Amino acid sequence: MNIYKERILELRKLIDHYNDEYYINDKSVISDREFDNLLNELIKLEKKYPEFDDLNSPSKRVGGGITKKFNVAKHTYPMYSLNNTYTKNEVIDWDIRVKKKLGIDEIEYTCELKYDGASINLIYEDGILVKGITRGNGVEGDDVTLNVKTIKDIPLKLSGKFPKRIEVRGEIILPLNEFKNLNRIRQLNGEKPFMNPRNTASGSLKLQDSNEVAKRPLKAFIYAAINDESVDISHYNSLVNARANGFLIPDSIVRANSLDEVFGFINLWRNNKSNLNYEIDGVVIKVNNINYQKTLGHTSKFPRWAIAFKYDSERATTEIKSLRYQVGRTGSVTPVANLSPVLLSGTIIKSASLHNEDQILKLNLRIGDKVFIEKGGEIIPKIVGVDQKYRGKESDKIRFIDNCPECNSKLIRSKNQSNHYCENENECRPQIIGKIQHFISKEAMDIDGIGNETVIQLYDNKLIKNIADLYKLKFTDLIKLDRMAEKSINNLMDGIEKSKNNPYEKVLFGLGIRFVGKTVAKKIIEKFPNIDNLINASYDDLNETNNIGDKIAKSLIKFFRDQININLINELKYFGLNFNKSDKTLSSNILTGKSFVISGTFEFHTREEIKSIVELNGGKISSSISSKTSYILAGKSMGPKKKIKANKLGVNVIDEKEFLKMLEL
Ligand code: AMP
Ligand code: ZN
């Protein structure tokens, strides 16, 4: 096939795929800029080779931005883009144009950071938040009111003085530390990490379930407050007022009376932006006087009274030497480019992750290509483009591998997934090692005296090939290994022995079942208090359990259907690991004859756990207080009615600590 036609078809497929991911699955797999690059490449090629035209090409569709799921709402005032510049000269030209049009020589600007997130338009009537709308296509967007109501920085009710109706605009962002934390947890749960904070913020805003949105620690930075009453004549003051109304306006905003001051601001944040706990992609300079803004007006795309100055991310150019593929604990295969070493932001970069096959196709990569790499907000450098002047040979075009680089089994990429997986989980080296490393990790079994390196050493010396083998290690075998002294062996053996006391939930999480993270493991245990219940559970039993659902249910079924895993669990049981929720919880008659009423929530146990502790020790649970009640076990936020009744009947009220003490006797 003609190579241009091939590329056109490839681009259409990719763009369609990203559109589906974004509009149907609410996932932003790539940044807007990367998306635009692809689209522009397609448009260019289609123009040059009209013989390959197709009415269904994604380039023919009008850019939307509105998902089908939310109601569409119109903006009272359109939400424009900003005119982007990258050089000081462009800012100078803009300043000249503005002054000329206004017929003045001096002007006051407001300088703000350009927060990199998702824009939102908030409408307040009589001080009450009535609507939150995404930017969408600028004229209309998605009504995401329920979702924005979960964001704590957005007041539901305004404080102080406010006009009857006000539109407040801002950027929803995800702070960097929260982003890292979210990804850490996702990875622990075997989920794919999010690409960057910006996409995570905009994806979160479009989640269907506002309870889920509430769990994302989003913030809202406000950059405009518009009202019809025009009481403020300065943009800066309107922001100060908005701050008094309860909005979050970053302290970085300043007024500038000259271009010098504007450039001072630009330089200040070029040097300091890496200290912020959020990403910015430049600064925004705005004419401060709102009457002037009105006079200047808009083009069809952006206001003439504002301009964005974008910082070029630090970039370097280097060459792709070769490609390698990394296999993770769950079998996911990640392509990594080996680069000619190059200095970028103070570190020497030798490789860059390419994430998945789509990324390779998107960049149309060949070995030998000169590529641009950036460090951006992410820690791992990223290939952002190919220098078209120095392309590798067409014949060196990179094709994703078909077989696992480690064990040679056929890779699987299922529909709706961007990653390839090696499914030979029990014989593929990095998967075996990864699983054992997961088992010993702090979050799982927290085994002292053994680290990731030791796991590799033990595996390579054929002393372990699964987690059960850890419990078979012998001093006499270990002492033969390099770097293993008597003391460290004793530590290791102690750590392993101690791990047998870990509760069932740690063991279950340690098994490393795909999608069964820490929280999920806890939830599972509440419903299935021992592993045999869980092994025998049907898909329906699992799927009906709160917080489990289809994906996790399928993964559990698949795991327990594999006889190798059942054998492994039997071995672990034999070594004395806990596969029973109540295994090591006290079991006694201490509470026989006593009845408990439980109220509120507790620090060390869930209510369910408390109930089973009472019952396992012979006590009884009842739901209402009577003269027969022996104790009221009061947690946080115990209901006031219960308190009054307890006092009246003279029933003992104890807290969780006192309760646990009772059991120690
Ligand atoms: P662009 O998406 O590059 O056209 O830039 C316009 C977008 O920048 C707006 O829709 C806002 O979401 C965003 N933005 C971030 N910070 C600011 C700011 N301080 N003032 C105006 N817009 C901002
Ligand atoms: Zn493999």
Side-chain angles (χ1 to χ4, degrees), residues 326-382:
Q326 275 171 355
V327 184
R329 158 171 80 86
T330 58
S332 66
V333 178
T334 312
V336 179
N338 297 319
L339 307 167
S340 297
V342 62
L343 191 70
L344 177 67
S345 312
T347 36
I348 294 196
I349 310 292
K350 292 184 194 138
S351 56
S353 167
L354 283 161
H355 302 292
N356 53 44
E357 183 183 25
D358 289 347
Q359 188 82 1
I360 294 174
L361 289 175
K362 189 185 81 186
L363 295 164
N364 194 17
L365 283 184
R366 301 169 195 167
I367 304 292
D369 273 351
K370 276 245 160 79
V371 290
F372 305 118
I373 57 171
E374 274 183 12
K375 235 172 157 184
E378 291 111 88
I379 307 113
I380 304 165
K382 202 172 148 189

Side-chain angles (χ1 to χ4, degrees), residues 468-482:
D469 290 343
L470 288 169
Y471 296 92
K472 299 179 202 159
L473 288 171
K474 289 197 205 72
F475 188 93
T476 43
D477 290 329
L478 294 169
I479 196 76
K480 291 180 199 145
L481 300 178
D482 288 347

Side-chain angles (χ1 to χ4, degrees), residues 327 404-409 411 422-424 427-431:
V327 184
C404 176
E406 301 276 347
C407 72
N408 205 35
S409 55
L411 297 181
C422 164
E423 302 216 322
N424 185 19
E427 283 157 66
C428 184
R429 182 176 185 269
Q431 295 192 61

Side-chain angles (χ1 to χ4, degrees), residues 189-421:
N189 288 344
E191 292 168 317
K192 228 179 102 192
F194 292 120
M195 287 282 269
N196 59 45
R198 179 207 161 127
N199 290 347
T200 316
S202 64
S204 303
L205 206 53
K206 291 193 179 176
L207 287 172
Q208 276 296 289
D209 181 356
S210 54
N211 290 318
E212 283 304 308
V213 186
K215 290 185 201 151
R216 305 267 171 96
L218 299 169
K219 297 193 77 63
F221 292 155
I222 299 307
Y223 56 74
I226 313 168
N227 71 79
D228 310 310
E229 292 162 36
S230 256
V231 276
D232 304 303
I233 49 144
S234 124
H235 166 68
Y236 185 87
N237 285 342
S238 72
L239 290 183
V240 171
N241 288 343
R243 197 179 270 155
N245 291 150
F247 292 102
L248 182 61
I249 322 279
D251 291 333
S252 45
I253 63 165
V254 295
R255 279 167 293 189
N257 280 307
S258 67
L259 269 188
D260 274 351
E261 284 178 37
V262 168
F263 292 137
F265 183 83
I266 290 176
N267 291 338
L268 174 74
W269 288 104
R270 188 202 305 281
N271 298 331
N272 285 302
K273 68 179 181 359
S274 57
N275 299 329
L276 293 166
N277 188 23
Y278 49 88
E279 293 191 323
I280 61 168
D281 64 339
V283 303
V284 187
I285 305 142
K286 298 173 182 171
V287 169
N288 195 24
N289 183 309
I290 288 178
N291 290 328
Y292 285 169
Q293 290 187 0
K294 287 185 179 146
T295 312
L296 290 162
H298 310 89
T299 71
S300 62
K301 281 213 192 98
F302 38 74
R304 290 198 190 87
W305 46 263
I307 195 165
F309 180 92
K310 290 208 171 177
Y311 297 114
D312 254 337
S313 356
E314 262 193 87
R315 266 191 179 194
T317 312
T318 185
E319 190 187 315
I320 300 192
K321 291 286 206 201
S322 58
L323 212 67
R324 65 175 193 272
Y325 293 85
Q326 275 171 355
V327 184
R329 158 171 80 86
T330 58
S332 66
V333 178
T334 312
V336 179
N338 297 319
L339 307 167
S340 297
V342 62
L343 191 70
L344 177 67
S345 312
T347 36
I348 294 196
I349 310 292
K350 292 184 194 138
S351 56
S353 167
L354 283 161
H355 302 292
N356 53 44
E357 183 183 25
D358 289 347
Q359 188 82 1
I360 294 174
L361 289 175
K362 189 185 81 186
L363 295 164
N364 194 17
L365 283 184
R366 301 169 195 167
I367 304 292
D369 273 351
K370 276 245 160 79
V371 290
F372 305 118
I373 57 171
E374 274 183 12
K375 235 172 157 184
E378 291 111 88
I379 307 113
I380 304 165
K382 202 172 148 189
I383 296 182
V384 291
V386 180
D387 188 340
Q388 297 298 334
K389 288 199 293 288
Y390 304 97
R391 296 300 312 265
K393 289 201 291 289
E394 168 68 23
S395 56
D396 283 339
K397 184 168 168 158
I398 297 170
R399 240 191 98 249
F400 206 90
I401 45 169
D402 294 319
N403 294 77
C404 176
E406 301 276 347
C407 72
N408 205 35
S409 55
K410 190 141 185 60
L411 297 181
I412 312 278
R413 177 178 176 180
S414 12
K415 245 178 97 192
N416 302 329
Q417 248 169 1
S418 9
N419 281 88
H420 284 70
Y421 283 92

